[in-house]
Amino acid sequence: MSDHEAGRVRRFWEGLGLPGLVDVHTHFMPERVLRKVWAYFDALGPLTGGVAWPITYRQEEDERAGLLREFGVRAFTAMLYPHKAGMARWLNDWAVDFARRTPDCLHTSTLFPEPGVESYVREAVEAGARVFKAHVQVGAYDPADELLDPAWGVLAEAGTPVVIHCGSGPAPGKHTGPEPIARVLARHPRLRLVVAHLGMPEYEDFLDLAERYGEVRLDTTMAFTDFSERLAPFPRRALPRLADLGDRVLLGSDFPNIPYPYLHQLHALERLELGDEWLRGVCHDNAARLFGLPGR
């Protein structure tokens, strides 16, 4: 990354009168796990839809965190997720240490449908977890699995947000799409779900859920970028609905696992022409309010 790129990102949020950005969808995880994720993208695995996906920010952990700070990202997440039973607790232990040594990272935890999930989710909340990550596609599980029900209840009661990849992009899974997560929300209507990628490609179905449940939010991760518009274009007829939900749309990027520069996500949002106030909410204010960060 050049200083020029960081300067352009900073000029974007400075031009909106913001103190910086809050990015609710960035990936930090144990290095050997992240290397396997990158190898999967490099191999064009089936969960990527077989699309070429070059990783733009393939640096070491400290350098990646430093890049976000240079961009002016005031708070970010460590979106980590298990693909099998017995993995979530270990990832959560790593995340405690990462949050301790990375104070601008919102302490992130994860979960999986397995015996003991309620216990370790409660432990993570009590240890200060501020956000959870769930990945229905990679984990290949039903979010409405009865094993998860007590854990969703703990998170709903605590008011802890959950960023969940439950849409069917970039490739559908057995339990992706709006119907399984709708069953979860019917049982736990106060659950603070943040639907990743705006629910791509079932955008309008997830807008329906956000309109029905006041604690459902959407993150912008990869949406509206040239890359995603080629694969799963957002229906322009739905833009007024997205504008109306402006206080519940949050900036997400998928950094570092993106096939384009960080700035492109910001420009993709800007060219929607939904107004500076909408952009201020999405890029900073909505997440700052959700996570109790200092306002502007």
Side-chain angles (χ1 to χ4, degrees):
M1 184 207 75
S2 67
D3 292 340
H4 177 65
E5 182 188 4
R8 292 179 70 196
V9 173
R10 297 182 75 90
R11 283 193 293 275
F12 172 87
W13 54 259
E14 287 170 351
L16 291 169
L18 294 174
L21 304 169
V22 180
D23 190 336
V24 304
H25 196 134
T26 63
H27 291 283
F28 289 88
M29 55 188 73
E31 284 298 287
R32 63 188 178 94
V33 177
L34 186 60
R35 303 292 170 183
K36 290 180 179 179
V37 171
W38 287 349
Y40 191 91
F41 279 100
D42 291 341
L44 304 182
L47 296 185
T48 68
V51 177
W53 199 304
I55 305 295
T56 300
Y57 299 100
R58 204 185 294 250
Q59 290 96 338
E60 295 300 315
E61 181 183 281
D62 288 348
E63 188 175 356
R64 294 194 309 273
L67 284 176
L68 289 174
R69 295 179 188 121
E70 288 181 42
F71 291 155
V73 180
R74 302 178 70 199
F76 52 91
T77 58
M79 294 281 104
L80 69 181
Y81 47 85
H83 61 271
K84 59 183 179 181
M87 191 175 177
R89 188 186 287 273
W90 169 70
L91 288 172
N92 289 349
D93 289 343
W94 178 90
V96 169
D97 179 65
F98 182 75
R100 186 179 298 123
R101 56 191 165 87
T102 316
D104 40 357
C105 176
L106 298 167
H107 179 177
T108 310
S109 292
T110 189
L111 75 173
F112 194 84
E114 58 190 334
V117 60
E118 178 187 8
S119 175
Y120 69 69
V121 165
R122 191 178 299 277
E123 289 171 11
V125 170
E126 291 173 352
R130 300 179 71 183
V131 60
F132 271 68
K133 167 68 172 180
H135 206 313
V136 172
Q137 182 206 38
V138 169
Y141 60 80
D142 184 348
D145 189 310
E146 290 184 1
L147 284 168
L148 282 174
D149 201 54
W152 294 135
V154 169
L155 293 169
E157 182 180 356
T160 306
V162 181
V163 177
I164 183 165
H165 185 135
C166 50
S168 298
K174 183 177 180 182
H175 302 289
T176 59
E179 193 277 331
I181 203 64
R183 286 188 278 124
V184 173
L185 287 166
R187 298 178 203 160
H188 304 282
R190 294 186 299 115
L191 186 61
R192 288 183 165 176
L193 283 183
V194 181
V195 177
H197 307 277
L198 298 182
M200 183 186 306
E202 296 105 340
Y203 301 108
E204 291 177 284
D205 292 321
F206 285 102
L207 284 169
D208 289 344
L209 288 177
E211 290 164 349
R212 190 180 315 160
Y213 295 98
E215 291 293 352
V216 170
R217 294 161 173 84
L218 307 164
D219 86 29
T220 66
T221 304
M222 298 190 73
F224 309 109
T225 63
D226 294 346
F227 181 86
S228 295
E229 285 292 286
R230 287 194 298 269
L231 302 173
F234 186 91
R236 287 309 186 256
R237 64 178 176 269
L239 279 177
R241 300 175 67 191
L242 194 67
D244 289 344
L245 285 167
D247 62 341
R248 285 191 279 135
V249 181
L250 312 177
L251 174 67
S253 68
D254 239 350
F255 176 93
N257 306 334
I258 44 177
Y260 44 74
Y262 189 91
L263 182 65
H264 181 54
Q265 176 73 78
L266 303 176
H267 282 167
L269 298 174
E270 183 179 45
R271 67 191 182 190
L272 297 176
E273 298 183 344
L274 295 180
D276 286 356
E277 195 58 34
W278 186 85
L279 278 176
R280 282 189 278 269
V282 170
C283 293
H284 179 273
D285 295 351
N286 298 340
R289 185 170 57 252
L290 178 64
F291 291 104
L293 306 174
R296 58 183 170 96

